């Protein structure tokens, strides 16, 4: 019984190091023994434990969402949030001194804010600040007033920038959060229903769940013609899929290493590698269209996505 193992583990921890400061924190686990005596809590804990794989899948999805929004933020706002303490000046005019709002002579200084989109790390960190809903509106107004890299801000110069932040908040705060909650609720409901079933009924329920997840794959017959058949076997092979996967990962790495102020040699290298990646993906699509035929290729949603 897992609950017996939990009780035994807690008891062993009480005797192993009862006075060691580093182990005293484990005393906080003693209330877990109450769960064994509370049927409802046992059901919830069991459901949470079984929902961990689905929660990890949602977590991976969330990481991809933040990665995509981070890259979009870099494209839209890299270098555009910097400003001079004399807001009427751009980067090249931010020299000398000026009279501030209280008529004090102050040296001009070019300021790079802590929240920016100058690299992927900074971009994702800024997005986490946005989805926390803590002072996110000030950042949005900064982007609305942004003009260009090293340019002086102007009021409402870029009002469409607000759509980016609204989209981030809607997808992250509402959609992804609800997915997390939904996974846990579904696991709890399933756990409660399973407890009322016999062993055979549980097996039958599990079999139905597996059958519901089965999706038939569109069968594309081997085409006529020796050369087309050879290309067909190439694109259907495992090593070809791994080869394309390797280039997808490399493409992601190229996007990650890009940052503001990068050396010229890195910019040139990334431009060349981008051309190579486009050629590889174009060759992949061309080979599949040639092997499968246009109608069979575009009948699958993921193929249409790759082509787009």
């Amino acid at each position: 019984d897992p609950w017996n193992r939990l009780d035994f583990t807690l008891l062993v921890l009480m005797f192993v190091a009862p006075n060691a400061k580093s182990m005293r924190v484990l005393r906080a686990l003693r209330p877990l023994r109450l769960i064994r005596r509370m049927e409802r809590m046992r059901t919830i804990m069991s459901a949470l434990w079984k929902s961990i794989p689905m929660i990890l899948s949602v977590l991976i999805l969330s990481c991809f969402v933040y990665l995509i929004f981070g890259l979009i933020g870099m494209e839209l706002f890299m270098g555009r949030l910097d400003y001079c303490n004399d807001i009427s000046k751009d980067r090249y005019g931010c020299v000398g001194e000026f009279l501030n709002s209280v008529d004090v002579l102050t040296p001009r200084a070019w300021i790079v804010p802590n929240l920016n989109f100058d690299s992927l790390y900074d971009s994702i960190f800024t997005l986490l600040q946005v989805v926390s809903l803590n002072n996110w509106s000030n950042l949005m107004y900064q982007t609305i007033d942004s003009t260009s890299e090293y340019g002086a801000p102007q009021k409402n110069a870029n009002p469409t920038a607000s759509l980016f932040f609204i989209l981030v908040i809607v997808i992250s705060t509402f959609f992804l959060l609800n997915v997390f909650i939904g996974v846990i609720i579904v696991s709890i409901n399933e756990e409660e229903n399973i407890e009322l079933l016999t062993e055979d009924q549980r097996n039958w329920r599990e079999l139905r769940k597996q059958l519901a997840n089965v999706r038939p794959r569109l069968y594309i017959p081997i085409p006529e013609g020796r050369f087309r058949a050879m290309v067909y076997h190439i694109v259907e092979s495992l090593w070809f899929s791994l080869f394309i996967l390797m280039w997808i990962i490399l493409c992601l790495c190229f996007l990650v290493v890009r940052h503001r102020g990068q050396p010229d040699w890195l910019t040139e290298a990334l431009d060349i590698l981008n051309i190579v990646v486009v050629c590889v993906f174009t060759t992949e699509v061309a080979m599949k269209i040639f092997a499968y035929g246009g109608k069979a290729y575009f009948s699958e949603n993921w193929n249409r996505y790759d082509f787009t």
Side-chain angles (χ1 to χ4, degrees):
D1 189 342
W3 297 105
N4 288 337
R5 292 197 294 269
L6 175 63
D7 288 344
F8 182 80
T9 303
L10 294 175
L11 183 63
V12 170
L13 292 175
M14 293 179 189
F15 285 100
V16 168
N19 297 319
K21 292 184 179 181
S22 60
M23 300 293 290
R24 287 179 185 176
V25 68
L26 297 175
R27 295 178 183 178
L29 299 177
R30 293 178 184 177
L32 290 177
R33 300 192 67 190
L34 290 174
I35 298 176
R36 180 183 178 87
R37 276 76 186 174
M38 302 170 66
E39 186 68 26
R40 180 67 176 172
M41 288 296 296
R42 287 171 56 182
T43 301
I44 294 176
M45 289 298 296
S46 178
L48 288 175
W49 177 259
K50 293 180 179 179
S51 65
I52 288 178
M54 286 298 297
I55 291 177
L56 291 177
S57 299
V58 177
L59 183 61
I60 294 174
L61 173 63
S62 301
C63 291
F64 274 106
V65 170
Y66 286 122
L67 177 64
I68 292 172
F69 276 119
L71 294 171
I72 294 175
M74 290 175 61
E75 294 293 334
L76 295 177
F77 309 118
M78 180 186 289
R80 300 180 63 173
L81 299 183
D82 303 354
Y83 61 94
C84 183
N85 56 352
D86 181 2
I87 58 174
S88 62
K89 301 296 182 181
D90 59 12
R91 177 67 179 87
Y92 306 103
C94 191
V95 293
E97 298 176 333
F98 74 107
L99 290 176
N100 61 17
S101 58
V102 293
D103 294 331
V104 175
L105 196 62
T106 305
R108 291 189 177 95
W110 189 253
I111 300 172
V112 179
N114 293 328
L115 298 178
N116 57 69
F117 296 89
D118 293 346
S119 67
L120 184 62
Y121 170 80
D122 293 327
S123 185
I124 293 179
F125 180 80
T126 301
L127 289 177
L128 293 177
Q129 175 80 11
V130 171
V131 298
S132 70
L133 302 181
N134 181 20
N135 206 25
W136 68 274
S137 58
N138 288 341
L139 178 63
M140 182 184 69
Y141 291 134
Q142 281 183 272
T143 60
I144 291 176
D145 295 340
S146 65
T147 54
S148 61
E149 187 174 3
Y150 302 130
Q154 298 177 7
K155 189 173 181 62
N156 296 329
N158 185 22
T160 56
S162 59
L163 298 177
F164 172 78
F165 293 90
I166 294 173
L167 191 61
V168 169
I169 291 176
V170 169
I171 292 180
S172 301
T173 307
F174 297 102
F175 177 73
L176 293 179
L177 181 60
N178 286 335
V179 171
F180 273 105
I181 296 173
V183 166
I184 296 175
I185 291 176
V186 169
S187 298
I188 293 175
N189 291 335
E190 289 183 351
E191 189 67 20
E192 290 178 342
N193 295 333
I194 287 178
E195 291 184 354
L196 302 176
L197 302 179
T198 64
E199 186 65 27
D200 291 338
Q201 289 174 330
R202 293 181 184 181
N203 293 335
W204 170 242
R205 182 177 178 277
E206 186 65 25
L207 178 61
R208 289 185 59 187
K209 184 188 298 185
Q210 294 179 3
L211 291 175
N213 292 330
V214 174
R215 294 291 183 271
R217 183 175 181 270
L218 177 65
Y219 173 71
I220 302 176
I222 300 176
E224 299 179 356
R226 184 176 180 181
F227 185 66
R228 281 192 66 191
M230 181 185 68
V231 176
Y232 174 89
H233 289 299
I234 291 175
V235 298
E236 285 288 308
S237 62
L238 176 61
W239 67 265
F240 185 81
S241 300
L242 294 177
F243 176 77
I244 298 299
L245 177 62
M246 179 193 70
W247 277 101
I248 293 174
I249 296 175
L250 287 176
C251 181
L252 179 61
C253 293
F254 301 156
L255 295 173
V256 169
V257 300
R258 181 171 170 265
H259 60 277
R260 185 186 178 193
Q262 63 188 15
D264 294 337
W265 66 265
L266 181 58
T267 302
E268 295 176 358
L270 291 178
D271 290 340
I272 295 174
L273 290 173
N274 182 61
I275 296 174
V276 174
V277 168
V278 172
C279 292
V280 170
F281 291 160
T282 303
T283 303
E284 176 206 5
V285 171
M287 291 177 64
K288 287 185 176 181
I289 293 177
F290 177 74
Y292 299 155
K295 183 178 180 180
Y297 177 83
F298 288 105
S299 62
E300 187 175 345
N301 292 331
W302 288 109
N303 287 339
R304 291 197 293 268
Y305 171 77
D306 288 342
F307 186 84
T308 304

